[in-house]
Amino acid sequence: TRMQNVSLGGIQFESRESYPLDGDLKFLISRDGDLSGGIEASGRITWIRKNRGVYRYGVRFEDIPDALESQFSGACKTAQIV
């Protein structure tokens, strides 16, 4: 899984894993790359594109934790599906 873009509205990522449209996912997001102190955010898959066995997903965050807003004072470097 490779993160493409993270904003307060959602996340775009690539993966070889197949997830369903409208499926719910949880992410750990970290600005400094250390997921042990990451912030959990949940979202719903709103679009999917497939190209050569790799899926690109757009996820809209359902609930934006206050702590996530403070992460956006700098770029987020790491996100992981949990």
Side-chain angles (χ1 to χ4, degrees), residues 6-77:
V6 179
S7 71
L8 285 176
I11 187 168
Q12 179 182 331
F13 69 96
E14 287 184 347
S15 178
R16 293 196 179 275
E17 297 291 322
S18 176
Y19 298 101
L21 185 64
D22 292 325
D24 294 323
L25 293 175
K26 288 186 179 181
F27 296 88
L28 275 177
I29 300 171
S30 171
R31 185 178 60 153
D32 63 7
D34 180 11
L35 290 174
S36 65
I39 297 162
E40 190 171 297
S42 60
R44 181 162 300 198
I45 298 172
T46 58
W47 59 265
I48 303 169
R49 307 280 187 275
K50 185 177 179 184
N51 186 20
R52 298 181 184 178
V54 176
Y55 298 89
R56 182 174 286 181
Y57 297 94
V59 176
R60 182 186 72 238
F61 289 138
E62 298 286 313
D63 186 21
I64 302 168
D66 291 339
L68 184 60
E69 290 187 37
S70 69
Q71 286 280 2
F72 280 90
S73 62
C76 291
K77 293 183 178 177

